[in-house]
Amino acid sequence: GVSFSNKFLCHGNASLSVEDSAVVQFGGTAQISCPISGSGTLKVSSYFEVAGTNALLDVAVVELLSGTMKIFKNMSVPVFLMTGSTLESTNSDDVTVEISDQFTCRSSNLNFVRVKSQGNTEIAGTNNLRDARLHMSGQSQFGGFYTPSHSVILRGESQLEFEANCTALFTGPHAFSLSESTTGVIINKGEIRANDRLSSISFSLLVRNEGMITASADSSMVVFSEMSPGFGSVSAVGSHSQIRVSGSASKSCYLRLNYICSLCVVTVNPSSRAILNATFAQKLWIPRLDSAGHVSFFDGEVEIDDAVLSGPAVVELHPSVSIHKLHMKESSRIVGNSDQIDSLIFWGGSCGSTSGPTTTITVKMLSVHSTLNKRLHRCEMTVNELAHFQYAVLAIGSGSWLRFSAASNIQFKSYTLITGDNGALTSGGELINDGTMTVDVPGGQLAGFKAYFSNTGTLQVVGGDVTVTAGSVHRGVIQVNRGSQLRFEGLFHSSTTTSSHLQIDGSLQVQATLVQLNFASLTADNIFVESGKLELLDSGCIGQLGISGGTVDVGALIAVNNFSLAGGTLHARSIFSVNGLAQWASGQISFGGSGAVNFNGPTEIEPGLTGNPAVTNTGQCPVNSTCTSCVGTTGCVWFVDGNSCNTQSSYTDDNNRGRICQSWVTTVGTCSAEPHCENYQTPGLCESHSSCDWCVAADGCSTAGSCVSNALTNVIFWSSYESGSWSDTQSWSSGSTPVSASHVYVSKRKPILVTSSGTIAVESLTVGNSLVSADLQPTVRIQSSVTVTDLTVMEGATLEVTDGSLTWTGNAVIHGNFIWRKGQIAGSTLEIHGYLFVTGNTGKTLNTNLYLYGTGTFSESFRVYFQANKVFHIMPSGQLEVYSDGSLNNADDNRKFVNEGNMTVNTWEGNSKVQISPDFVNRGSLVVQQGSYLQWHRAVYLNGSVSIEEEAVVYKSTANNPVIIGAAAAVRGPGKLSLQTGQVTIQAENFDIGVLEISGVEFIQLPSQFTVAHLVLTGGVVQLTGNVIITDMMEWGGG
């Protein structure tokens, strides 16, 4: 080597040849106007100038250790290395340096020069480009260990370009920014990767992307401030990696998203604007955006398969955007217009904004879940095919409507509340139904419409209670099935067309200012008016009409089977006919126009209410009469106040006026051909004798068919028609509360509520009546200590445990509803053939073997504690749906949760999970729905089907107990099965899971043929006895 430490001149006909492996170093000023050539190395550490027509620099390696190199014309060199130095041209014309093999630029400057690196490129430290252009077409490495952080500053009209064949790998933090420039730009035609854990790439300038930019490493990040439209794509692949937009509202960042992993984030900082085009997106996930962030989709062919929004995200849609599935969570928001959303899954957030243009959205399928805030702000949403509401709350704000088109099918499957602005009744938007709306919620749950409701389609109430509060108009069909209820409350409700149809097989309740029924066809089993006003404006048939307050205005011919007036007013402007029992206890009857009231059947009229000339009583037997005014020998209801009517007929009971036989009796204690005994009935009713509810004596029903007034010894009935406390002595048939030897029946034909108080012990408790519909069944609520020998709840009736304890020593069978909110249940076995509802995070202790033959729901942070040797068993006919988070607690070898039926887990909120501490046995069907989390704590035995849906996690942890997945099991789905402790044996051939994670497992044995998409092994021992096929990825961190 040769080192020139002072000034060096080479010009004229001189030349310098640096041959192979030789090194020439210039430590002082060097001025070159002659050729320098060879295959050696040229090192510069001061000032080096190449100028003149004869100047030529053609060596193998140029290394700038410091100082400045100025060049006059184009040059080519295989290797060019810069550290703390400057490369610039000596004139204003473009001067290009072509580098074929290696270009390294560390904390250096490029001024007024174009560098084309066609081989490997390394960029590190702080580098400046002033009116310079750097083109890279080979492998590029940004960062490394040269400095802890790295940056490139573009000044003037500088450009940094990644050519089509370039792959740029970034390690550590790296920033690209502008200084003294508004025209600097990054051009990417190749591939840029944040390639190292925690590495970041920050572009604080315009990016033109025609290639790929990827946050490929775990926890890596790429930040943009401005990006022009282009055909390039942006992806976040590494776990917890991030794409961030951090600019200003005046600059748009067009991101063409290719892939965003489920644990990755697209973040838009305050005052920034991101415009997303996801033409090729298989998965678009935007879990968090800052409060002022804004995301919109620009014009073009945009197709998104699956988009998830949460946090205070704002996503602006465009009519050209086609979205297969859009999930909205937390406080996310969508605005703009789109008619190409196949499926909108609404967990939280809002559609539209309080100001600006109206948002218009058309979806094929709408699914609304959870009680998180969901709101329509100046939004017009139309559903064309299917809508599904399950445990949902939705507010429709002013200037908004939610419309279900004529071809749509709408289903309400559990608790649902639709309100106006912030839950208000007097302001808000409109719920419009042109399709077929079906409400089928479990017992004890409500579907409430507190937004204005317009129905031109069909409303079917199949199960549960529906409340319409904020006013409504009906031009279509309303049908309420037996056992269900439709309630009008609050404001004005009307029907306005002659083609509308109302059929109430259940019950209709009115507590509204005004309800106008002008249906062309009106048939109703039960209508109850408690307040407000009900206008019957067209003819119809009503099974039972009860008025306890308010006004019923009859403007057309109405035929009623049974009628009860216990307050309020019946105002007849047309003919009102009662063909069955008419009861008039209080209130008034008034008339207008051609109104008339005809009581054609048996009547009960309190003293002082008779004598109205417009009321025709064809079957009335007045009090204290010798019955001379009774018409005929049928249809008379006797008023008994310790008196007899005449020698031919007398009432069967001297103590209960008007409450037993509703027909004529010819012999004391004997029913005539059309009897209706009500007071002394038991679950063992004999129905073969003239439809009489026969009283059951110890030897069964008598063959003569007599209505016995005292059936079983020690039988006590709840005789009141009103709700009350167990301690109300006057409400029991005996005049005193039941005792330990009592057989207790709460079986009134009315939806009353009997609440326990104090310590109670009886021989048996029977709730319900098998001969009446569910809407007339009673409820017994236990909130103290209750002990029975035998327990029976009839179909449609309800037993509710809200506190205290319920203990039985014999048989316990539920055919109706069992609601468990708090307290202990204890006994040998409990069979539930009806509906089980477990809710609330207060303590509930299971001290029985519970067998679920019917359906059940776990809801609202449920907590259940298992006592020793107890089992919760879902039978083959049983179905259990688990919502929200919750836990089944207390774990040892003798506590079990067994599923032989169908079990569904849907936690629907971000970090919610269902925890099962007892041993878990599955021989039925287990479905863990999308995004849900199920955790097992002890032994797990699977021999049925298990479906783990996308983003769902099933997790085995805590105790060192075995997991056995038997040969008959089928475990499938794109979700994750995480096995953390214990010994695991997988015998199932039908095993196709998205992610199988093994960590800390003592031993796991796999079957002879085993396929999994993604295997994560971080600890434990896996014994392979056959073929293992991993179709996507294996992560081996230990074990």
Side-chain angles (χ1 to χ4, degrees), residues 1-9 16-19 21-32 36 40-48 57 59 61-67 69 83:
V2 177
S3 174
F4 298 97
S5 57
N6 290 309
K7 188 172 183 179
F8 179 86
L9 304 178
L16 175 60
S17 177
V18 185
E19 296 185 358
S21 300
V23 177
V24 175
Q25 181 167 344
F26 297 93
T29 300
Q31 294 178 333
I32 307 299
I36 299 179
T41 299
L42 191 69
K43 293 187 177 183
V44 175
S45 57
S46 182
Y47 179 84
F48 189 93
L57 190 60
V59 293
V61 179
V62 174
E63 184 174 357
L64 303 184
L65 301 176
S66 61
M69 172 181 280
T83 302

Side-chain angles (χ1 to χ4, degrees), residues 209-278:
N209 183 33
E210 298 176 13
M212 292 186 293
I213 301 177
T214 305
S216 59
D218 292 353
S219 302
S220 60
M221 178 171 63
V222 182
V223 182
F224 302 95
S225 63
E226 182 180 10
M227 183 180 291
S228 61
F231 294 102
S233 64
V234 175
S235 298
V237 176
S239 177
H240 299 93
S241 60
Q242 184 174 172
I243 302 297
R244 181 185 293 271
V245 178
S246 180
S248 63
S250 62
K251 294 181 179 180
S252 297
C253 189
Y254 291 80
L255 295 179
R256 194 181 193 89
L257 298 176
N258 179 52
Y259 180 85
I260 307 297
C261 80
S262 61
L263 296 177
C264 300
V265 178
V266 174
T267 303
V268 179
N269 282 356
S271 302
S272 302
R273 180 176 179 83
I275 305 176
L276 308 183
N277 184 335

Side-chain angles (χ1 to χ4, degrees), residues 282-285 304-308 325 327 930 950-951:
Q282 295 301 310
K283 179 77 175 177
L284 169 60
W285 181 288
I304 303 173
D305 181 59
D306 201 346
V308 181
K325 185 183 293 184
H327 300 253
Q930 181 170 3
E950 187 173 3
E951 297 161 22

Side-chain angles (χ1 to χ4, degrees), residues 867-879:
Q867 293 295 84
N869 302 312
K870 300 308 176 186
V871 176
F872 187 107
H873 196 134
I874 306 171
M875 303 302 288
S877 61
Q879 296 184 12

Side-chain angles (χ1 to χ4, degrees), residues 782 784 786-788 791 799 801 804-808 818 824-827:
I782 293 176
S784 61
V786 176
T787 302
V788 301
L791 172 67
L799 179 65
V801 179
S805 63
L806 171 63
T807 304
W808 61 93
F818 182 63
Q824 173 176 278
I825 58 174

Side-chain angles (χ1 to χ4, degrees), residues 268 286-295 309-315 329-333 349:
V268 179
I286 309 181
R288 293 189 298 274
L289 290 101
D290 291 332
S291 58
H294 189 104
V295 177
L309 314 178
S310 63
V314 180
V315 175
K329 295 185 176 182
E330 299 171 11
S331 54
S332 60
R333 179 157 54 96

Side-chain angles (χ1 to χ4, degrees), residues 506-756:
S507 64
L508 172 68
Q509 287 205 355
V510 176
Q511 292 178 312
T513 304
L514 174 63
V515 177
Q516 293 178 322
L517 299 184
N518 190 22
F519 291 86
S521 173
L522 168 62
T523 58
D525 263 18
N526 299 281
I527 297 180
F528 301 102
V529 181
E530 300 178 17
S531 62
K533 186 176 183 180
L534 170 64
E535 294 184 357
L536 302 173
L537 302 179
D538 211 336
S539 60
C541 298
I542 301 174
Q544 177 171 315
L545 174 62
I547 306 174
S548 60
T551 300
V552 174
D553 183 24
V554 180
L557 175 62
I558 297 296
V560 177
N561 188 23
N562 296 317
F563 172 66
S564 171
L565 179 59
T569 300
L570 173 69
H571 182 69
R573 295 185 290 112
S574 183
I575 297 176
F576 179 80
S577 296
V578 181
N579 299 317
L581 173 63
Q583 296 173 307
W584 187 4
S586 63
Q588 62 179 339
I589 299 177
S590 61
F591 301 90
S594 59
V597 174
N598 298 327
F599 293 158
N600 302 320
T603 60
E604 294 180 9
I605 303 178
E606 290 287 346
L609 298 176
T610 60
N612 192 321
V615 179
T616 303
N617 303 315
T618 62
Q620 179 180 347
C621 180
V623 176
N624 298 326
S625 168
T626 57
C627 293
T628 56
S629 61
C630 286
V631 181
T633 57
T634 60
C636 184
V637 174
W638 299 103
F639 284 64
V640 180
D641 289 330
N643 306 312
S644 297
C645 268
N646 55 31
T647 56
Q648 288 185 330
S649 310
S650 66
Y651 214 87
T652 58
D653 181 30
D654 286 342
N655 299 317
N656 293 280
R657 174 173 57 82
R659 288 183 179 169
I660 304 183
C661 291
Q662 297 175 2
S663 296
W664 190 273
V665 288
T666 57
T667 305
V668 176
T670 303
C671 292
S672 63
E674 295 181 356
H676 193 83
C677 294
E678 181 172 336
N679 196 41
Y680 298 112
Q681 49 185 259
T682 76
L685 299 175
C686 297
E687 304 175 26
S688 59
H689 299 286
S690 305
S691 300
C692 184
D693 298 353
W694 297 102
C695 309
V696 180
D699 57 351
C701 291
S702 60
T703 56
S706 59
C707 283
V708 200
S709 61
N710 289 299
L712 288 173
T713 304
N714 298 323
V715 171
I716 297 180
F717 295 87
W718 183 269
S719 57
S720 173
Y721 272 71
E722 304 299 329
S723 300
S725 171
W726 188 282
S727 60
D728 295 340
T729 57
Q730 298 305 312
S731 296
W732 295 103
S733 58
S734 61
S736 61
T737 55
V739 296
S740 60
S742 299
H743 296 275
V744 178
Y745 296 93
V746 180
S747 52
K748 274 297 171 190
R749 297 165 177 255
K750 192 175 181 182
I752 60 174
L753 172 65
V754 179
T755 304
S756 74

